Amino acid sequence: MAGQTGGPALPRARGDLSAAVIARLRGSGTLPDPALADAAEPYGDDLQLALYICYELHYRGFAEVDPDHEWDPDLLTVRAALERRFESALRADAPPGTGLTDALDALLVEPAEGTGVSHFLQEHSTRERLRAYAVQRSLYHLKEADPHAWVLPRLSGRAKAGMAAIEYDEFGAGRAERVHAQLFADLMADLGLETAYGHYLDRGHAEMLALVNLMSLFGLHRRLRGALVGHFAAVEITSSPASRRLALAMKRADAGPAAEHFYTEHVEADAVHEQVVRHDVVRGLLDDEPALEADVVFGIDTTALLENRLADRLLTDWRAPARGLSGGSSRAHENPRD
């Protein structure tokens, strides 16, 4: 048996699919028939958790789980079935794709009266809401930029150089204390939260799991490299104004200097990244592979779809506090940092 990893503990199951995957990783169960994925709710807790666990084997893995499970053929067969169900739903539910120019231009439009998460928190920030928000976002931000790194071997020329330049910034430009995942851990510490990677997986909403799974789906499949670039464009282009609002929310709630710094850092960095991603990464990719334009738009549209689902969940709960953390009304192009 190969050496064990030191990742987070396996989460609690949320249904038959995730229970079977967890049991397999513990060496005590049989994997489900892949056909069962076809009947699962594509955005539901069970499928999204099962898929998240499968993907996490390609990142840091789980404590006391044999690293060899990363390439378990039977587990990969189940993962492929989960992916097909998820991707089929995304293709059915994402709005019809516009042209790329229109899709990119839409990302730059700031509504006169915003109704997204960052707008709400800017006006109604409390330490409790900011903690709840950070718990959800920790499932991505503690691995920030890692899913996007999968696309680098699939790019060339200007697109590769532009993507690598942005990733270099995300990974701290050579300084460990400036790695964006570390900056988010510092934010969590200011809010009195546990900072360990994967600690809050059991508290992650299905909507948040789906967002992280979207990045992994696009990143781990070469055929979806255009969609990953589209997703990345949606993140970087819309980040700066949302981060400005969230920095103000942190300040108003007296969340702490590191909590404010995480978002002020993104205001400046992502304003630069927005230009690089538009003109070098997206344009460079399509100059080399013009047939991928529809995939880039698909990446933008699915990012908006899943961000809106998460925003709906969060805002409904914040507007009805007695119900805990849940949802709100749909909007276009919510941001992963919004």
Side-chain angles (χ1 to χ4, degrees):
M1 186 175 182
Q4 304 297 316
T5 68
L10 282 165
R12 294 187 295 270
R14 303 187 190 183
D16 292 343
L17 288 169
S18 53
V21 169
I22 290 168
R24 175 65 166 233
L25 296 181
R26 287 180 172 148
S28 61
T30 302
L31 285 169
D33 183 338
L36 294 177
D38 294 338
E41 164 54 44
Y43 306 120
D45 280 290
D46 191 28
L47 184 143
Q48 290 299 328
L49 179 61
L51 186 54
Y52 187 100
I53 292 168
C54 290
Y55 283 147
E56 189 56 37
L57 298 173
H58 299 291
Y59 293 101
R60 299 195 194 179
F62 295 96
E64 300 183 359
V65 170
D66 187 342
D68 282 348
H69 279 298
E70 180 179 5
W71 301 112
D72 177 339
D74 295 332
L75 189 58
L76 290 173
T77 298
V78 171
R79 193 193 93 182
L82 299 170
E83 288 177 321
R84 285 193 297 271
R85 179 68 171 139
F86 184 34
E87 186 179 347
S88 294
L90 291 169
R91 292 194 180 278
D93 295 340
T98 61
L100 178 62
T101 299
D102 288 343
L104 290 174
D105 288 347
L107 295 175
L108 294 169
V109 176
E110 279 279 291
E113 295 185 7
T115 56
V117 169
S118 66
H119 291 89
F120 182 88
L121 288 175
Q122 178 181 258
E123 298 301 324
H124 307 288
S125 64
T126 66
R127 194 173 179 85
E128 179 183 6
R129 287 170 179 155
L130 295 174
R131 282 167 55 87
Y133 184 67
V135 162
Q136 296 303 313
R137 287 295 181 189
S138 71
L139 298 185
Y140 168 62
H141 281 310
L142 291 180
K143 65 169 65 163
E144 183 168 343
D146 290 350
H148 302 130
W150 295 111
V151 82
L152 282 169
R154 285 102 191 247
L155 301 176
S156 62
R158 188 152 50 102
K160 190 185 196 88
M163 191 76 186
I166 297 173
E167 289 283 274
Y168 180 67
D169 285 348
E170 301 279 351
F171 292 134
R175 295 175 57 184
E177 73 277 9
R178 296 192 64 178
V179 172
H180 285 192
Q182 180 58 53
L183 296 182
F184 195 80
D186 296 342
L187 171 152
M188 296 179 76
D190 265 2
L191 291 170
L193 295 168
E194 173 58 57
T195 63
Y197 179 95
H199 178 81
Y200 290 108
L201 179 53
D202 276 326
R203 290 173 60 180
H205 297 328
E207 293 84 355
M208 189 66 223
L209 296 177
L211 271 168
V212 183
N213 286 341
L214 184 76
M215 302 178 212
S216 298
L217 172 68
F218 291 165
L220 286 167
H221 290 273
R222 187 171 62 85
R223 66 180 175 86
L224 294 171
R225 61 196 179 280
L228 191 282
V229 166
H231 161 79
F232 191 66
V235 172
E236 296 297 328
I237 291 173
T238 59
S239 174
S240 188
S243 293
R244 186 176 293 106
R245 290 188 287 271
L246 289 167
L248 183 57
M250 293 291 174
K251 184 178 182 66
R252 287 182 172 176
D254 196 23
E260 286 184 50
H261 177 67
F262 177 80
Y263 288 108
T264 56
E265 168 73 12
H266 283 86
V267 171
E268 298 176 10
D270 290 342
V272 175
H273 293 173
E274 180 249 315
Q275 294 297 314
V276 176
V277 77
R278 279 175 66 96
H279 300 296
D280 292 329
V281 181
V282 174
R283 195 68 267 156
L285 173 67
L286 295 182
D287 284 348
D288 290 340
E289 301 185 86
L292 294 182
E293 179 172 339
D295 288 344
V296 175
V297 174
F298 177 64
I300 293 170
D301 289 344
T302 51
T303 301
L305 172 74
L306 296 184
E307 284 294 342
N308 287 341
R309 289 178 61 87
L310 178 63
D312 288 349
R313 175 92 188 249
L314 294 172
L315 290 171
T316 294
D317 275 352
W318 289 339
R319 289 166 177 156
R323 295 176 56 190
L325 246 170
S326 257
S329 59
S330 293
R331 289 150 304 280
H333 301 305
E334 286 290 351
N335 178 263
R337 299 187 184 110
D338 189 4

